[in-house]
Amino acid sequence: MSIDNAIKYKFNTGDNVLYGTNVICTSKKIGDLKQVFQNEEARSRMEQESIVYSVSLLQPIEAGTLGGLFIGTTIIEQGQVDQEYYMTKGHFHKNTSSSEFYWGTKGTGMVLMMKTDRTYHIELMSPGSIHFIPPETAHRVINTGNEKLIFNACWPADAGYDYETIYNEGFSCRIFNQHGIPTIIDIEK
Ligand code: F6R
Ligand code: ZN
């Protein structure tokens, strides 16, 4: 019997961001988010190097492994493109039977979940809130608060990503700041 004293991975006390050996950090800048926001012209005029969100990702097992799990922290900066709040690109999972958990740790926002028939529902995210994303459901998080939004996610290692469907068809609603109030606007396809 042996005890492994070293903590391999942990959530940083304070900001709750995942860190440790093999944690991969990526970020999405304004310049990476073409066609994501409604006002593409406004996005193209913004500072292209400015970070919209960052992900710290731990893949302790090879992608595609049946039964494996991944975990990651996402930090969405506070900001807007025109009146639309900063948000993640959003995706379906390639393996459509995969589900996922999101849970909020800092800031406030919305989790948008959309089925393949384009019906959607929204859950409010705040520190401690837990969100179950069922199979065949696209998901995106929107930072509607007045600070960074930080949340964690855990999902199957064989889930994969389908970004293309959302890139081509978008979500069926968008969230705008209208006079300081997060407002949900339905979008026709
Ligand atoms: C993984 C997952 C999250 C997101 C992250 C960034 O299945 O849902 O870790 O990958 O919040 O969002 P996207 O991937 O939509 O750019
Ligand atoms: Zn996902």
Side-chain angles (χ1 to χ4, degrees), residues 7-162:
I7 296 175
K8 271 199 216 152
Y9 323 111
K10 69 179 290 208
F11 291 114
N12 236 343
T13 28
D15 62 7
N16 254 302
V17 173
L18 181 71
Y19 92 117
T21 6
N22 302 327
V23 171
I24 305 159
C25 298
T26 56
S27 54
K28 291 280 179 283
K29 300 174 180 166
I30 283 286
D32 300 320
L33 299 175
K34 214 170 172 180
Q35 309 291 358
V36 170
F37 296 91
Q38 188 176 65
N39 192 339
E40 174 56 19
E41 214 263 320
R43 187 207 59 86
S44 69
R45 277 189 280 103
M46 290 170 73
E47 169 55 57
Q48 299 297 292
E49 286 300 302
S50 178
I51 291 176
V52 176
Y53 63 95
S54 316
V55 180
S56 299
L57 174 66
L58 172 62
Q59 303 188 149
I61 201 161
E62 206 181 317
T65 308
L66 197 65
L69 287 173
F70 291 163
I71 193 163
T73 304
T74 304
I75 304 172
I76 310 179
E77 301 298 327
Q78 195 211 354
Q80 287 173 213
V81 174
D82 195 359
Q83 288 186 302
E84 193 169 12
Y85 297 102
Y86 277 6
M87 59 188 181
T88 59
K89 284 185 359 183
H91 56 268
F92 283 98
H93 287 141
K94 193 139 236 150
N95 177 352
T96 55
S97 64
S98 307
S99 48
E100 181 163 7
F101 274 118
Y102 277 3
W103 64 102
T105 59
K106 194 179 193 314
T108 54
M110 294 182 180
V111 185
L112 168 60
M113 299 186 215
M114 183 183 77
K115 298 279 177 202
T116 44
D117 66 3
R118 300 186 60 76
T119 53
Y120 70 86
H121 89 276
I122 289 174
E123 295 179 5
L124 297 180
M125 181 179 260
S126 61
S129 65
I130 299 177
H131 310 275
F132 176 66
I133 300 157
E136 301 189 333
T137 307
H139 39 290
R140 156 178 286 169
V141 176
I142 303 108
N143 182 359
T144 56
N146 48 18
E147 58 180 321
K148 282 175 202 275
L149 173 61
I150 307 184
F151 67 94
N152 292 309
C154 185
W155 67 101
D158 66 334
Y161 300 93
D162 164 17

